[in-house]
């Protein structure tokens, strides 16, 4: 059955684009040319965990709106490390997070994507991995990470976190690296990728890891629950929606537990504080890096708590490595996921929700064409995301024509 809408995308997911502010090599004019209508951004210059000033929020909003776009999603108000690990400062920085959220909501930005990843945020081991097309992708190599953790960083007790065959391969890899290779790997892992709150050197990351001594999965989840118990009621009061991004990669790193990696993790955190304001960012790339995550089943399980969507694809290796593939060519059934998201959006619309439309953005993209020689934020070049958004738009248009959504 064909849609009766005269606009084939009128009922599709809202098309948005991540923008890192005025210093982003990809301009807001570029965003409009890509066909996005919404912007996903933050005050990236204020990433120390302190509350964002209302005037600075207003200025960022003006920059977006003067370009003919809408600030659709905030990504991200930072989670200060004290919130992850607990301690005397956690209450102060939790309040700062909530204050930023309230000030954003006062100016109309109600959807807040954030993450609970300790120390290193999203992590890759290679930023220019050659793919068959000739483009360059982001990659997480599990052996390279183990080589760094065990044999270069020399984290105490690290060897016990890896299987014997992984350790053997990691040792061989570490011994084969020259100084330049070590520096490149270390910089990629710990220096901070876009969106990360903190950047580290070898000494500082060792110190940060030590601060998490004794923090197991249950303890980390308890810290997260206390954060939600404080922030979610304030979100309800100001009309904000929180949507936590999954761990990337969805596994513990440096011996520190991550608690937002699996369907069971999400079920626990959404049940811990059962409010529509406590929701999720459904990132197909992060969740898809684990073969035991059934993404269509997760959409069905958590549909009413999905407030924002990142669409990207990955190809996995048996050892836990993966690289970011083309948006429609990977181990994630992207068409099935989008069809289910459109169905959820239709359900919301049919139920009369004013905020029925779910924002999505094409997450990451290959370095392609002349972007290969340009200065770009890893994963956030223009042409790769432009290609991804066009492909995803095509899927939504086809599904719309077939009666989905």
């Amino acid at each position: 059955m064909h849609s009766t809408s005269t606009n084939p995308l009128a009922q599709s997911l809202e098309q948005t684009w991540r923008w890192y502010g005025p210093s982003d090599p990809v301009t807001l004019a570029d965003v409009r040319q890509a066909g996005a209508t919404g912007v996903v951004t933050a005050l990236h210059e204020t990433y120390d965990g302190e509350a964002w000033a209302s005037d600075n929020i207003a200025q960022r909003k003006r920059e977006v709106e003067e370009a003919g776009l809408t600030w659709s999603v905030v990504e991200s108000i930072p989670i200060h490390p004290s919130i992850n690990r607990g301690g005397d400062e956690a209450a102060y920085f939790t309040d700062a997070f909530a204050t930023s959220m309230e000030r954003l909501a006062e100016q109309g930005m109600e959807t807040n994507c954030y993450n609970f990843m300790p120390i290193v945020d999203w992590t890759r081991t290679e930023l220019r991995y050659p793919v068959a097309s000739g483009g360059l992708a982001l990659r997480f190599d599990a052996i390279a990470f183990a080589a760094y953790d065990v044999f270069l960083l020399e984290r105490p007790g690290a060897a016990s976190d890896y299987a014997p065959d992984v350790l053997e391969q990691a040792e061989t890899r570490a011994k084969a690296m020259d100084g330049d290779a070590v520096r490149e790997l270390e910089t990629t892992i710990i220096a901070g990728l876009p969106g990360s709150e903190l950047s580290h050197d070898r000494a500082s990351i060792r110190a940060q890891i030590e601060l998490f001594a004794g923090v197991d999965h249950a303890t980390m989840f308890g810290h997260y629950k206390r954060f939600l118990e404080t922030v979610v009621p304030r979100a309800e009061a100001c009309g904000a929606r929180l949507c936590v991004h999954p761990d990337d990669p969805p596994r513990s790193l440096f011996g520190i537990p991550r608690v937002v990696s699996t369907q069971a993790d999400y079920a626990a955190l959404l049940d811990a504080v059962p409010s529509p304001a406590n929701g999720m960012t459904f990132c197909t790339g992060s969740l898809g890096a684990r073969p035991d995550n059934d993404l269509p089943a997760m959409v069905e399980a958590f549909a009413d708590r999905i407030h924002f969507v990142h669409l990207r694809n990955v190809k996995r290796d048996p050892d836990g490595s993966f690289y970011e593939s083309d948006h429609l060519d990977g181990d994630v059934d992207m068409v099935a996921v989008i069809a289910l998201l459109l169905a959820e959006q239709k359900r919301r619309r049919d139920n009369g929700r004013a905020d029925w439309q779910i924002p999505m953005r094409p997450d990451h993209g290959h370095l392609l064409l002349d972007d290969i020689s340009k200065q770009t934020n890893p994963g956030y070049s223009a042409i790769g995301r432009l290609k991804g958004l066009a492909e995803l738009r095509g899927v939504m248009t086809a599904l719309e024509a077939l009666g989905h959504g």
Side-chain angles (χ1 to χ4, degrees):
M1 185 175 99
H2 291 276
S3 169
T4 58
S5 171
T6 58
N7 179 355
L9 288 173
Q11 298 175 2
S12 292
L13 305 175
E14 181 190 2
Q15 297 173 53
T16 70
W17 188 278
R18 193 166 194 188
W19 181 62
Y20 283 95
S23 63
D24 194 325
V26 182
T27 67
L28 290 174
D30 297 332
V31 175
R32 289 191 65 186
Q33 290 185 47
T37 58
V39 169
V40 177
T41 192
L43 300 187
H44 292 285
E45 63 276 17
T46 310
Y47 242 57
D48 57 2
E50 297 289 347
W52 292 351
S54 295
D55 288 348
N56 294 340
I57 294 169
Q59 174 61 28
R60 184 55 37 86
K61 184 182 181 185
R62 280 194 299 272
E63 291 165 350
V64 171
E65 293 181 345
E66 286 172 359
L69 298 160
T70 300
W71 187 355
S72 299
V73 179
V74 180
E75 186 179 350
S76 307
I77 306 172
I79 296 286
H80 190 271
S82 65
I83 299 173
N84 299 109
R85 64 177 180 257
D88 295 340
E89 294 182 312
Y92 172 85
F93 284 107
T94 297
D95 177 72
F97 180 103
T99 299
S100 295
M101 174 189 68
E102 291 162 343
R103 291 172 179 172
L104 287 156
E106 288 173 358
Q107 299 191 47
M109 283 71 72
E110 298 173 340
T111 303
N112 289 274
C113 170
Y114 70 103
N115 74 72
F116 206 75
M117 292 179 268
I119 297 185
V120 288
D121 206 295
W122 71 285
T123 303
R124 298 291 183 270
T125 59
E126 191 170 351
L127 305 181
R128 298 173 69 90
Y129 176 73
V131 295
S133 67
L136 303 173
L138 303 178
R139 176 171 169 80
F140 179 84
D141 185 320
I143 303 303
F145 187 89
Y148 178 74
D149 189 19
V150 179
F151 300 104
L152 301 176
L153 183 64
E154 298 178 317
R155 174 174 63 88
S160 63
D161 290 342
Y162 300 95
D165 63 320
V166 172
L167 285 174
E168 182 178 351
Q169 295 176 68
E171 185 173 17
T172 300
R173 186 81 63 90
K175 289 178 177 177
M177 291 182 187
D178 61 17
D180 288 342
V182 169
R183 282 188 290 274
E184 182 176 357
L185 178 63
E186 183 163 58
T187 298
T188 301
I189 292 174
I190 71 173
L193 294 172
S196 301
E197 181 186 348
L198 296 173
S199 178
H200 302 284
D201 58 25
R202 195 176 298 187
S204 69
I205 199 166
R206 283 173 172 155
Q208 286 294 315
I209 291 168
E210 180 61 29
L211 292 175
F212 282 85
V215 176
D216 59 12
H217 189 280
T219 303
M220 183 75 78
F221 184 81
H223 295 164
Y224 189 19
K225 183 180 179 183
R226 281 193 288 278
F227 167 80
L228 291 173
E229 288 170 341
T230 299
V231 174
V232 170
R234 291 173 67 170
E236 292 173 338
C238 70
R241 292 176 292 273
L242 295 168
C243 38
V244 63
H245 187 284
D247 302 323
D248 186 9
R251 52 179 286 180
S252 296
L253 299 179
F254 296 120
I256 301 169
R258 292 185 163 198
V259 296
V260 193
S261 295
T262 66
Q263 182 165 343
D265 288 341
Y266 267 108
L269 71 91
L270 296 177
D271 288 346
V273 182
S275 165
N278 178 29
M280 71 183 297
T281 295
F282 197 86
C283 178
T284 56
S286 299
L287 295 168
R290 281 184 71 115
D292 55 341
N293 279 336
D294 182 336
L295 270 61
M298 292 180 75
V299 175
E300 292 181 317
F302 305 124
D304 62 340
R305 305 284 278 276
I306 295 173
H307 300 322
F308 183 35
V309 179
H310 290 180
L311 296 178
R312 63 179 168 88
N313 220 322
V314 293
K315 286 193 175 181
R316 301 184 297 259
D317 295 332
D319 65 5
S321 303
F322 61 89
Y323 73 89
E324 299 189 5
S325 58
D326 286 324
H327 286 74
L328 302 184
D329 178 29
D331 291 319
V332 174
D333 187 343
M334 192 66 73
V335 175
V337 168
I338 293 174
L340 289 167
L341 290 167
L342 290 175
E344 169 59 18
Q345 199 172 245
K346 181 180 185 300
R347 184 194 68 79
R348 297 180 187 187
R349 187 173 66 247
D350 291 348
N351 287 343
R353 274 186 59 171
D355 60 344
W356 57 268
Q357 194 169 36
I358 303 171
M360 74 83 170
R361 67 172 175 84
D363 197 15
H364 300 177
H366 292 169
L367 274 173
L368 301 172
L369 305 174
D370 64 346
D371 274 350
I372 291 175
S373 61
K374 292 179 180 177
Q375 181 67 37
T376 65
N377 288 322
Y380 291 96
S381 57
I383 298 171
R385 284 186 291 165
L386 173 69
K387 178 176 179 284
L389 181 57
E391 292 173 345
L392 297 167
R393 183 185 297 130
V395 171
M396 291 189 291
T397 304
L399 290 170
E400 170 93 3
L402 293 170
H404 296 266

